[in-house]
Amino acid sequence: LVTGGAGFIGSNFIHHFLGENPGVRVVNLDILTYAGNLENLKGVESDSRYSFVRGDIRDKELVASILSREKIDSVAHFAAESHVDRSITGPEVFVSTNVLGTQTLLEESRRHRDSGAVDDFRFLQVSTDEVYGSLGPEGFFTESTPLAANSPYSASKAGADLLVRAYHETYGFPTLNTRCSN
């Protein structure tokens, strides 16, 4: 399951993943807000290994049904509200999508894995270097740089990252956090 697969990063991931892995299937769950564009998926929309579901990651029933019906064994979570400026003028949707949406995906994925529906499961959280705050005198961030979110966007992504970490620590849920940088 790829969430936010019609966005810039998610769509490039889908193209690459399908190109490099002939034996896989990809289900793309995307609500198609301002950042989602199905034009980004030209060339894969007719691939029998690809399917698209228009929907919201906060919809527990939808997420659970996709996981079960498609026998999903991994989630690559790209879906997010983004752009710092947008978060300043409307922070509520950032918290709702980025934090609560991530929690919905985690919980439904954990239930799915714990049901025995799949032998192995992975959850990849795709985050942002914005969670580290402003670039300091070193000129770079590392994995040990403390979180220092400076906007509602970065705070919501940090919150999602911490939930992913908590699911790993609390439930032994197999997760990986990545933080993209530009």
Side-chain angles (χ1 to χ4, degrees):
L1 176 64
V2 175
T3 67
F8 175 74
I9 300 171
S11 63
N12 279 285
F13 173 83
I14 290 172
H15 280 283
H16 178 77
F17 195 71
L18 287 172
E20 294 292 317
N21 300 282
V24 300
R25 260 178 329 105
V26 170
V27 177
N28 176 11
L29 173 61
D30 198 305
I31 198 169
L32 296 179
T33 61
Y34 63 92
N37 184 349
L38 291 177
E39 290 292 315
N40 292 338
L41 293 155
K42 287 289 184 198
V44 299
E45 75 276 6
S46 60
D47 189 320
S48 63
R49 300 172 300 141
Y50 170 81
S51 62
F52 173 73
V53 177
R54 185 172 187 167
D56 193 328
I57 60 171
R58 297 169 292 185
D59 183 339
K60 292 178 184 183
E61 290 77 22
L62 176 63
V63 170
S65 72
I66 292 169
L67 292 167
S68 176
R69 179 181 68 242
E70 301 291 340
K71 296 179 177 49
I72 299 295
D73 63 3
S74 53
V75 173
H77 179 34
F78 295 89
E81 295 291 333
S82 62
H83 305 300
V84 171
D85 293 346
R86 289 186 67 253
S87 78
I88 293 167
T89 59
E92 295 85 2
V93 70
F94 283 75
V95 173
S96 180
T97 299
N98 298 353
V99 178
L100 299 177
T102 300
Q103 193 278 324
T104 296
L105 287 169
L106 285 164
E107 185 59 19
E108 295 309 318
S109 295
R110 184 179 72 85
R111 288 180 182 169
H112 174 65
R113 181 204 63 170
D114 290 353
S115 75
V118 293
D119 294 332
D120 196 15
F121 197 91
R122 301 274 186 246
F123 190 100
L124 171 66
Q125 163 75 355
V126 180
S127 189
T128 176
D129 67 345
E130 293 275 343
V131 302
Y132 298 123
S134 299
L135 198 55
E138 296 86 21
F140 59 88
F141 301 119
T142 70
E143 290 84 356
S144 61
T145 301
L147 298 181
N150 290 330
S151 70
Y153 164 62
S154 58
S156 69
K157 290 299 286 185
D161 291 357
L162 292 172
L163 278 170
V164 171
R165 183 181 189 284
Y167 267 69
H168 176 76
E169 295 297 322
T170 302
Y171 303 111
F173 194 64
T175 64
L176 179 65
N177 267 324
T178 64
R179 295 184 174 132
C180 298
S181 175
N182 57 3

